[in-house]
Amino acid sequence: MDFDLTEDRQMLSDSLNRFLADKYPVEHRTKVAYAEPYHDPALWDGIAELGALFALASEDKGGFGGSGFDISVVFEAMGRVICPEPVLGALLASRILSHTDADQEALLSGAVRYAVGLGEIEAPYDLSFIKTEAQKSGDGYTVTGRKSAVYGGQAAEVILVAAKLDGKLAVLSVKAADADVTGYGMMDGGGAAEVLLDGTPAELVLADAEAAIQDAVNAGIVALCSEAVGAMEVLHAMTVDYLKQRKQFGRAIGSFQALQHRAVDMLTEIEQSRSIVIKAASELNGEDATKFCAMAKNLIGRAGRLVAEEAIQMHGGIAMTWEYPGSHYAKRIIMIDAQLGDTDYQLAKVASAA
Amino acid sequence: MDLTFTDEENAFRQEVRDFFRENLPKEISDAVKNGGELTKEHMERYHAILNEKGWLASTWPEEYGGPGWTPVQRHIFDEESCRAYAPRIVPFGLNMLGPVLQKFGTQEQKDYYLPRILNGDDWWCQGYSEPGAGSDLASLKTRAVRDGDHYVINGQKTWTTLGQHADWIFCLCRTDPDVKQQEGISFILVDLKTPGIEMRPIKLIEGGHEVNEVFFTDVRVPVENLVGKENQGWTIAKYLLTHERTGIAGVGASMQSLEEVKALARKTMRSGKPLIEDPLFAARIAQVEVDLEAMKITNLRMLFKAQKQGAPGAETSILKIKGTVINQELKDLARRALGPSAAPFPGHITDGNLALAPASEANNAARYFNNRKTSIFGGSNEIQRNILSKAVLEL
Ligand SMILES: Cc1cc2nc3c(=O)[nH]c(=O)nc-3n(C[C@H](O)[C@H](O)[C@H](O)COP(=O)(O)OP(=O)(O)OC[C@H]3O[C@@H](n4cnc5c(N)ncnc54)[C@H](O)[C@@H]3O)c2cc1C
């Protein structure tokens, strides 16, 4: 057993952390995360140049990684600066395309930005209930329906969408320029889009895509959970720092046991979070991936709420402000719960898998 | 023991309900329902509507223009106003300064300020907290130095709620730096038009503007604006805090939130079924409902006790702690129920056809984040626990 990163991953982690710490000071992050196009295209290129996207795919698909730990390293680094770059879209897309023979060079080099439209307003998590439909039309296909909260969709050139084709879940590829895409910023920064498809021309990526989609969702869960762990650690460190600095009643508020124990409870939950993410990452390419990813997302949902709410509470008013960096970490950590299946949805999945 | 409302109380409830139906402008109730920021005009108009009926200053004695309600009537009013999506009353003049002036003010102060509060001539804000003095309010540093028939004020207040609309601010200032902290504080009324005052907005976590910082540089205030005696400010502040606690359980608001969460869960689809049929989510709702049902009674029990004793006791801190937790839990459920549809930043989707949720729900994430404030302000829930363990448990 060895809980250290391999040398390659450690190098990727170091260079990515350095780059992001340098380029994404929180003022810059807040500026770009909340104004169109809700990310920084120059820094997207920078992240791609570091090879972060190649780390998301396996060697036989043109990348140099693709394991749960590779994904985890990239997203934890992003979580530490709450980076709004649409890397999740690239991961989900690469993961789906890896079930085909498609060439991923343009995707993994960052030259073409991808987003993946899975959920819909009435079926955000459980995709068996989506309504979007694909149809054969001449040589190609068309898609009709609405994909909602497509993360990174505001900045994507290609959108892969989940649609029903002959009653089965399929994935089709749509050019953003051919669809009706409305981008917007999110509560926690970064962008998404509503994608309206109305007989929109599409290319078939995978006809029987249920397993591929689940695999992509699992990878996305490892990514989001890793991002959450990175963000939680930073927010916890800020909180502990503040407990030491802030004085009331002539002493550091961190000297009050009522707060000390709660800061420790946060630490415990973060350690548990890290462990479940390690477990999920190690199982990602195995048979029980879905169960362990569901476990990770459930635990992160619970721990995230505790960490975000306690961080705000123990800071007092200051953490209620936009200006204080911690508030943005708290928002990101909370909003992760609604991506790719929330705490309750995942708990039910764990229960039914057992 | 009898938990039923009397016939008179039921008739009163009907009267309040009818009143809101007939007199509350839809524009205002829609603004409340949609959770956006109410404008100054909305709030002034609402206050005027209540004032005309004689219901505005619900905690004031009749001699000052209050309606003379019992605690139960106030409770019924609170429930019905939430049910009707009426705004919360802006508390600073009505529920804070009013009772202070009635108890500590001179006859001139009462005659001048109280009618102006009722008529909406002056919008008041509360200048207590400072960057270095939050929970430890008594450590405040803003100085007021006597100079002839003026005080000269220097310092900074912060977190001043709705200060951007205000005409006046009531401040706690240090008038004697050489005595025990609590004994050198005075309660002073300051006209915000006085030269030397600067107000700057603070943007909150969800993007809204409801609090401000206020800077004082050589601000000259007539000595007549002192309330009570010089250096008696802490006594007044403590008195005011007990008044700040009426309605602090937020029972009416939580009842309304519970209905909203249920309605949301009934129409939100998850895995082909309404979310309310998901046993996990249904259990979450039921759990809060149990707590809220108990809180209604806890609240009434404490209101009754306060009425008998003449003043709320330290145990009302329980209302603050549990009341805010219940409300925050409901806001959390509303955000969860919406799921990814709560993701868009409020106001970013301008085309109504594209909205992921109706306006009354789209702000649920923003409301959840904003509502975290309730366990921080008005004496944080930690401070309330300190009060309970000292004053009630004598630990
Ligand atoms: C949205 C909002 C609106 C507000 N409106 C107003 C207003 O209109 N006017 C006004 O004057 N003020 C207002 N306040 C200020 C509010 O009253 C203070 O935020 C509050 O008193 C807490 O002070 P603080 O923020 O400085 O936190 P701190 O006092 O620094 O507290 C930080 C943390 O330490 C904890 N803590 C402190 N002391 C102890 C202790 N002895 N034991 C255990 N834990 C402790 C606190 O509970 C908190 O968790 C507002 C605040 C907010 C957020």
Side-chain angles (χ1 to χ4, degrees):
Chain A
M1 207 158 288
D2 182 1
F3 286 106
D4 291 331
L5 290 177
T6 60
E7 216 174 295
D8 287 350
R9 289 194 192 115
Q10 191 62 55
M11 272 167 58
L12 175 64
S13 169
D14 290 346
S15 63
L16 203 52
N17 275 314
R18 252 196 322 271
F19 176 81
L20 293 173
D22 181 38
K23 302 292 184 194
Y24 264 108
V26 73
E27 306 76 48
H28 183 71
R29 184 271 170 190
T30 309
K31 200 175 97 198
V32 300
Y34 285 103
E36 276 184 82
Y38 309 110
H39 78 115
D40 182 336
L43 294 185
W44 165 267
D45 292 343
I47 289 172
E49 274 160 32
L50 286 175
L53 305 181
F54 285 105
L56 306 178
S58 62
E59 274 178 47
D60 58 332
K61 297 298 171 187
F64 60 67
S67 79
F69 294 116
D70 298 305
I71 295 166
S72 193
V73 158
V74 171
F75 280 85
E76 185 178 332
M78 299 216 311
R80 300 190 78 82
V81 298
I82 40 174
C83 177
E85 296 306 321
V87 182
L88 181 67
L91 169 66
L92 296 174
S94 164
R95 210 64 197 185
I96 288 171
L97 293 175
S98 291
H99 291 258
T100 72
D101 295 328
D103 177 19
Q104 297 190 35
E105 179 62 24
L107 193 176
L108 299 176
S109 67
V112 175
R113 277 194 298 264
Y114 279 68
V116 178
L118 298 175
E120 298 175 2
I121 291 178
E122 300 226 312
Y125 308 140
D126 186 344
L127 303 181
S128 23
F129 294 92
I130 61 167
K131 297 218 175 74
T132 300
E133 300 237 15
Q135 264 186 337
K136 189 128 187 44
S137 149
D139 289 349
Y141 290 81
T142 60
V143 202
T144 298
R146 173 177 180 174
K147 290 292 160 185
S148 189
V150 178
Y151 304 110
Q154 89 289 0
E157 290 145 276
V158 179
I159 303 176
L160 304 187
V161 296
K164 289 269 171 76
L165 177 63
D166 300 328
K168 284 201 178 122
L169 260 186
V171 174
L172 294 99
S173 171
V174 170
K175 290 198 194 81
D178 291 340
D180 179 355
V181 178
T182 304
Y184 48 86
M186 292 191 286
M187 190 66 227
D188 51 332
E194 295 306 291
V195 180
L196 304 190
L197 304 157
D198 186 5
T200 309
E203 264 175 52
L204 184 66
V205 174
L206 260 180
D208 192 352
E210 197 171 327
I213 290 175
Q214 185 61 56
D215 174 50
V217 167
N218 290 343
I221 287 176
V222 168
L224 289 168
C225 291
S226 304
E227 185 185 348
V229 167
M232 285 196 287
E233 280 196 352
V234 173
L235 183 57
H236 185 246
M238 277 183 200
T239 306
V240 172
D241 231 35
Y242 194 74
L243 291 179
K244 289 178 184 164
Q245 282 170 25
R246 172 70 170 171
K247 289 208 169 66
Q248 290 288 278
F249 304 100
R251 50 198 270 208
I253 56 173
S255 69
F256 298 120
Q257 211 166 51
L259 302 186
Q260 288 169 352
H261 286 190
R262 287 155 61 187
V264 170
D265 289 346
M266 289 167 74
L267 175 66
T268 307
E269 291 305 317
I270 294 170
E271 288 302 331
Q272 285 281 89
S273 298
R274 182 173 284 289
S275 299
I276 201 75
V277 175
I278 289 173
K279 177 67 181 169
S282 76
E283 299 281 348
L284 179 61
N285 293 334
E287 261 178 27
D288 290 326
T290 301
K291 176 171 107 184
F292 290 109
C293 288
M295 284 186 173
K297 193 76 180 11
N298 170 266
L299 202 161
I300 292 286
R302 289 182 286 130
R305 184 178 172 205
L306 177 104
V307 169
E309 292 183 354
E310 287 288 70
I312 294 175
Q313 182 67 26
M314 294 203 281
H315 273 89
I318 187 85
M320 285 297 300
T321 66
W322 187 273
E323 200 179 336
Y324 188 72
S327 68
H328 298 287
Y329 281 83
K331 279 185 287 187
R332 179 69 194 123
I333 292 165
I334 290 287
M335 297 307 285
I336 280 177
D337 192 43
Q339 293 185 265
L340 304 182
D342 70 3
T343 314
D344 288 355
Y345 176 76
Q346 303 294 355
L347 190 63
K349 259 195 141 53
V350 174
S352 65
Chain B
M1 198 77 63
D2 182 4
L3 294 186
T4 50
F5 289 106
T6 62
D7 288 347
E8 292 79 40
E9 284 161 352
N10 284 327
F12 176 71
R13 183 184 292 280
Q14 194 57 50
E15 187 190 352
V16 175
R17 194 171 291 185
D18 292 343
F19 174 80
F20 279 123
R21 199 184 45 244
E22 284 155 25
N23 296 288
L24 183 64
K26 184 168 180 311
E27 185 196 329
I28 295 182
S29 58
D30 279 351
V32 172
K33 209 179 280 176
N34 297 346
E37 282 168 40
L38 286 157
T39 63
K40 182 176 186 180
E41 288 66 37
H42 282 147
M43 292 191 268
E44 285 180 337
R45 217 165 119 207
Y46 176 59
H47 281 194
I49 289 168
L50 288 184
N51 191 36
E52 198 181 332
K53 177 81 181 165
W55 284 357
L56 179 59
S58 68
T59 59
W60 294 13
E62 278 164 286
E63 55 170 314
Y64 296 114
W69 284 342
T70 63
V72 175
Q73 282 179 301
R74 283 208 285 269
H75 174 77
I76 290 172
F77 180 82
D78 175 51
E79 273 185 27
E80 290 300 320
S81 70
C82 292
R83 196 173 172 274
Y85 289 103
R88 317 271 58 219
I89 283 173
V90 182
F92 307 107
L94 286 156
N95 296 344
M96 297 185 185
L97 183 62
V100 161
L101 290 177
Q102 286 155 24
K103 180 143 173 106
F104 299 96
T106 61
Q107 196 55 50
E108 291 74 43
Q109 287 172 336
K110 291 182 203 176
D111 291 345
Y112 180 73
Y113 292 110
L114 292 179
R116 296 180 62 86
I117 292 175
L118 279 182
N119 295 331
D121 297 328
D122 302 323
W123 185 302
W124 284 89
C125 61
Q126 181 186 25
Y128 274 28
S129 305
E130 298 179 4
S135 298
D136 182 12
L137 186 58
S139 69
L140 60 91
K141 292 205 171 66
T142 297
R143 277 285 269 142
V145 178
R146 184 78 186 254
D147 177 23
D149 49 9
H150 282 81
Y151 285 108
V152 181
I153 302 181
N154 280 284
Q156 184 197 341
K157 293 293 172 184
T158 190
W159 304 121
T160 318
T161 298
L162 300 183
Q164 70 265 37
H165 300 327
D167 307 298
W168 285 77
I169 183 168
F170 52 90
C171 288
L172 292 178
C173 299
R174 187 152 304 286
T175 33
D176 188 345
D178 300 322
V179 292
K180 199 171 154 245
Q181 278 184 344
Q182 285 81 350
E183 286 160 15
I185 294 171
S186 297
F187 192 103
I188 300 174
L189 312 177
V190 182
D191 183 342
L192 285 166
K193 286 190 294 294
T194 320
I197 300 179
E198 191 198 342
M199 177 122 23
R200 292 185 203 153
I202 297 175
K203 189 170 169 184
L204 284 185
I205 180 168
E206 84 293 353
H209 173 205
E210 62 184 54
V211 295
N212 305 271
E213 308 177 278
V214 192
F215 297 85
F216 297 82
T217 314
D218 295 330
V219 176
R220 295 183 68 82
V221 177
V223 286
E224 303 90 85
N225 290 15
L226 175 73
V227 177
K229 297 195 190 67
E230 193 171 279
N231 297 326
Q232 197 194 13
W234 192 248
T235 310
I236 298 177
K238 278 197 301 189
Y239 176 80
L240 190 154
L241 268 181
T242 61
H243 269 273
E244 213 180 330
R245 285 189 194 176
T246 44
I248 205 134
V251 167
S254 287
M255 286 167 65
Q256 194 53 42
S257 295
L258 178 66
E259 288 316 310
E260 283 169 24
V261 168
K262 283 185 180 171
L264 191 54
R266 266 183 229 115
K267 65 174 204 194
T268 301
M269 295 301 283
R270 286 286 185 278
S271 301
K273 285 184 307 208
L275 180 58
I276 198 119
E277 290 175 24
D278 169 15
L280 282 174
F281 200 79
R284 284 185 191 279
I285 297 180
Q287 196 71 84
V288 198
E289 187 162 9
V290 172
D291 289 343
L292 179 56
E293 203 53 42
M295 177 48 68
K296 288 186 212 165
I297 302 297
T298 307
N299 188 41
L300 285 169
R301 278 170 56 214
M302 293 192 176
L303 286 177
F304 265 87
K305 192 164 169 208
Q307 190 184 22
K308 271 195 202 151
Q309 293 174 340
E315 63 284 351
T316 48
S317 288
I318 290 173
L319 302 179
K320 169 79 197 314
I321 296 170
K322 197 68 192 177
T324 53
V325 168
I326 288 172
N327 199 262
Q328 291 177 336
E329 188 65 28
L330 287 162
K331 295 283 185 290
D332 179 67
L333 291 183
R335 173 183 61 75
R336 276 169 199 271
L338 217 51
S341 296
F345 197 88
H348 272 204
I349 297 181
T350 44
D351 177 352
N353 296 324
L354 276 176
L356 285 76
S360 60
E361 296 158 12
N363 283 351
N364 277 349
R367 270 189 262 189
Y368 160 81
F369 287 112
N370 179 279
N371 211 248
R372 302 310 305 173
K373 70 189 175 190
T374 60
S375 50
I376 296 172
F377 65 27
S380 73
N381 284 13
E382 288 75 25
I383 295 302
Q384 306 294 344
R385 286 184 176 88
N386 287 348
I387 292 172
L388 285 164
S389 53
K390 266 210 200 88
V392 177
L393 305 182
E394 300 179 358
L395 288 170

